[in-house]
Amino acid sequence: MSGAPPLCLTVAGSDSGGGAGIQADLKTMLALGVHGMSVVTAVTAQNSLGVRGVWELPAEAVTAQYRAVVDDIGVRAVKTGMLSSAVLVETVAALLATTDAPAVVDPVGVSKHGDALLAASALEAVRKELLPRATVATPNLDEVAQLTGVSVHDEDGMRRAADAVLGYGPQWALIKGGHLAAHGGEAVDLLTDGTEERWLRAPRYDNRHTHGTGCTLASAIAAGLAQGLTVPESVTAAKEYVTGAIAAGFALGGGIGPVDHAWRRR
Ligand SMILES: Nc1ncnc2c1ncn2[C@@H]1O[C@H](COP(=O)(O)OP(=O)(O)OP(=O)(O)O)[C@@H](O)[C@H]1O
Ligand SMILES: Cc1ncc(COP(=O)(O)O)c(N)n1
């Protein structure tokens, strides 16, 4: 009998299409060698064309799942994704406060198709309750604009965005430049804790099948933290993993296909 792998928990929404949300998180965790566990916040009926419906779970169900995992099994790192409403943001923030493990907070706002995954009324709770609990917060440029009002068009803008996000209290901000218009063929992200600044640069792939990039990156960071890596080490390894997954993203259905979580095994 061998020992258990490092324990990693995702708190996120279910994506029936399997490319993003809980499904992306658990696949990423498996691929990176940690034991993935899940707290489902909402069920989405979703495919490559968009989100057809969202059913949020009661706060009680979210708390019960979280407690069931943490009280018995334990956890080395937590990742949060789609939280849907102010009540669930507050619930999850309060749960994180009871857990002595690093938290990667992906403040998911809208899907690639523009479907809302977070109520506008929840933004204040994300700023005031959730971000202060984050070891690393990983907003994309749209989420940065929504949360801080900073609109980013270049690398200087990414610096200002990082400062604004850090102002809400996470230890590190990872500003994802995936949505930055063609940037010399690179996909550039900025990681900073306010003193140390690291630019992560990778080739930008002209592949439309990028469903789940943000979820995959955040889960990969959590997997690294669960394995005992530092934040910069986890983010560097996660960026390499998501870049490979994007390069291998494949067509599925009639719209945007998923990144390939198993790219290293093919
Ligand atoms: N076309 C691309 N080629 C290579 N890397 C990319 C591409 N698009 C995004 N990335 C990278 O993928 C990661 C996720 O960034 P992105 O900005 O897409 O997050 P996101 O918008 O939160 O994702 P999602 O839309 O899945 O929620 C970042 O490291 C980003 O630089
Ligand atoms: C349940 C859930 N969580 C997160 C995303 C964001 O992923 P994307 O922006 O790639 O659609 C999603 N579509 N669905």
Side-chain angles (χ1 to χ4, degrees):
M1 198 172 71
S2 54
L7 305 171
C8 200
L9 176 65
T10 169
V11 181
S14 166
D15 169 10
S16 51
I22 288 278
Q23 288 78 0
D25 299 343
L26 293 176
K27 290 175 193 181
T28 299
M29 291 173 192
L30 179 69
L32 296 180
V34 299
H35 175 68
M37 302 174 287
S38 59
V39 170
V40 179
T41 56
V43 173
T44 72
Q46 190 174 171
N47 57 23
S48 73
L49 299 170
V51 178
R52 292 187 180 183
V54 175
W55 294 266
E56 193 182 308
L57 266 72
E60 185 190 359
V62 170
T63 301
Q65 292 173 80
Y66 191 97
R67 292 261 60 100
V69 170
V70 173
D71 294 348
D72 170 46
I73 302 170
V75 65
R76 289 280 299 276
V78 184
K79 176 250 164 171
T80 70
M82 174 188 180
L83 297 181
S84 189
S85 69
V87 170
L88 291 191
V89 171
E90 285 159 10
T91 301
V92 171
L95 289 166
L96 290 178
T98 67
T99 311
D100 184 20
V104 181
V105 169
D106 186 15
V108 172
V110 293
S111 81
K112 282 249 149 58
H113 295 94
D115 308 294
L117 301 176
L118 181 75
S121 57
L123 284 173
E124 195 59 7
V126 172
R127 293 184 195 102
K128 297 273 168 62
E129 310 283 338
L130 191 62
L131 289 179
R133 299 272 164 224
T135 309
V136 195
T138 66
N140 65 27
L141 298 185
D142 298 330
E143 290 150 2
V144 160
Q146 272 205 313
L147 289 167
T148 70
V150 175
S151 57
V152 177
H153 307 288
D154 54 22
E155 290 187 7
D156 242 17
M158 288 174 75
R159 274 199 190 95
R160 279 185 284 110
D163 284 346
V165 170
L166 287 174
Y168 290 109
Q171 290 171 34
W172 294 82
L174 177 67
I175 308 299
K176 297 177 293 191
H179 298 199
L180 206 58
H183 200 88
E186 288 184 320
V188 182
D189 307 334
L190 169 61
L191 174 70
T192 176
D193 62 355
T195 52
E196 195 180 327
E197 184 182 279
R198 290 179 189 231
W199 292 91
L200 296 112
R201 298 176 190 280
R204 173 182 290 277
Y205 292 96
D206 189 16
N207 181 356
R208 72 187 287 249
H209 303 301
T210 55
H211 182 52
T213 50
C215 306
T216 300
L217 179 67
S219 301
I221 298 169
L225 295 176
Q227 286 163 321
L229 300 184
T230 64
V231 168
E233 287 168 348
S234 299
V235 171
T236 303
K239 173 76 170 173
E240 198 187 315
Y241 174 70
V242 78
T243 301
I246 292 167
F250 51 89
L252 212 61
I256 301 175
V259 303
D260 186 358
H261 296 99
W263 67 274
R264 281 188 175 141
R265 307 173 57 160
R266 298 200 202 280

